[in-house]
Amino acid sequence: MKFHKEGYTTLAIAVLFIFIINAVADYYDASQYVKWFIYALSAFLFITVVQFFRSPKKVFNPEDGIILCPADGKVVVIEETEENEYFHDKRIQVSIFMSPVNVHVNRNPISGLVTFFKYHPGKFLVAWHPKSSTDNERTTVVVKDKAGREVLFRQIAGALARRIVWYIKEKDEVVQGNEFGFIKFGSRVDLFLPLGTEINVNIGDKVTGAKTIIGKF
């Protein structure tokens, strides 16, 4: 287990805040009850930041024909829907909600060439809101595998998430299971898959990035 690079600034701010409130309590000789409350708050804050930005090591051998889970969380949507940004046709949408306690590293569901990438500034509706896929801050990525099959996936910011981070761009070659981005705090990832894809998960399932197989072409 390692600490993700996106958390360095947040951790530094948290440590500075902890130092200040403890120094103030000591300077004004606060009562033992107040000091113990501050100690408990400090520990809670530190542990929360560390666990949120944890980045467990994942080992996965890329495999053609399968769609790997891009994030830790819970499956909240499986439905046939119209995808109107890139494909402009019907696709199977699978959505994964990441709560603040989940690992927030995002990983490539397939290997291939990034044929499309776009960042959209937007609102910060709760991640499970029906319009979050189209109205919230988000990125859209399309990857084409060597067989010519394309998968679209979106990072979607939630009500708490105010920053989406990505490490890929158009014409990049990406490897299944490798990290492509990170979303801070509660958020969501949508997958849009070809009709006829065999879906291996159900609504309500808890899934793990770079481990759970979402489906097969």
Side-chain angles (χ1 to χ4, degrees), residues 151-175:
V151 169
L152 183 152
F153 44 102
R154 288 196 180 105
Q155 297 172 289
I156 301 171
L160 293 177
R162 300 287 162 154
R163 188 181 175 205
I164 292 175
V165 182
W166 60 91
Y167 312 122
I168 56 176
K169 61 184 183 300
E170 282 189 27
K171 298 184 179 179
D172 280 354
E173 289 282 351
V174 298
V175 177

Side-chain angles (χ1 to χ4, degrees), residues 3-59:
F3 189 76
H4 198 278
K5 62 183 180 181
E6 297 298 338
Y8 291 158
T9 300
T10 303
L11 182 61
I13 292 171
V15 170
L16 178 61
F17 175 75
I18 289 169
F19 173 79
I20 290 172
I21 61 174
N22 280 272
V24 169
D26 286 339
Y27 180 80
Y28 287 102
D29 196 23
S31 69
Q32 284 298 112
Y33 293 109
V34 172
K35 287 184 177 180
W36 277 110
F37 173 78
I38 290 175
Y39 296 156
L41 177 64
S42 299
F44 173 78
L45 179 61
F46 182 79
I47 292 170
T48 298
V49 171
V50 170
Q51 75 84 29
F52 180 82
F53 289 100
R54 69 196 188 280
S55 181
K57 185 177 181 180
K58 299 289 181 73
V59 178

Side-chain angles (χ1 to χ4, degrees), residues 132-150:
S132 64
S133 292
T134 55
D135 291 0
N136 276 19
E137 178 191 13
R138 63 199 182 280
T139 64
T140 301
V141 184
V142 179
V143 173
K144 179 188 289 187
D145 70 8
K146 62 184 181 182
R149 299 169 296 207
E150 290 184 309

Side-chain angles (χ1 to χ4, degrees), residues 184-204:
K184 295 186 176 182
F185 301 104
S187 44
R188 170 174 158 176
V189 174
D190 288 352
L191 286 162
F192 290 85
L193 310 173
L195 296 182
T197 300
E198 177 188 327
I199 304 300
N200 287 14
V201 293
N202 298 297
I203 291 178

Side-chain angles (χ1 to χ4, degrees), residues 25-100:
D26 286 339
Y27 180 80
Y28 287 102
D29 196 23
S31 69
Q32 284 298 112
Y33 293 109
V34 172
K35 287 184 177 180
W36 277 110
F37 173 78
I38 290 175
Y39 296 156
L41 177 64
S42 299
F44 173 78
L45 179 61
F46 182 79
I47 292 170
T48 298
V49 171
V50 170
Q51 75 84 29
F52 180 82
F53 289 100
R54 69 196 188 280
S55 181
K57 185 177 181 180
K58 299 289 181 73
V59 178
F60 181 83
N61 293 321
E63 184 178 339
D64 291 335
I66 72 166
I67 301 101
L68 198 62
C69 186
D72 290 21
K74 183 170 74 172
V75 177
V76 293
V77 174
I78 301 175
E79 64 181 13
E80 185 177 312
T81 188
E82 191 83 16
E83 199 293 305
N84 291 317
E85 181 177 1
Y86 179 81
F87 293 118
H88 302 286
D89 63 12
K90 288 188 178 296
R91 298 277 150 166
I92 299 174
Q93 177 181 341
V94 179
S95 298
I96 299 157
F97 172 70
M98 293 175 284
S99 76

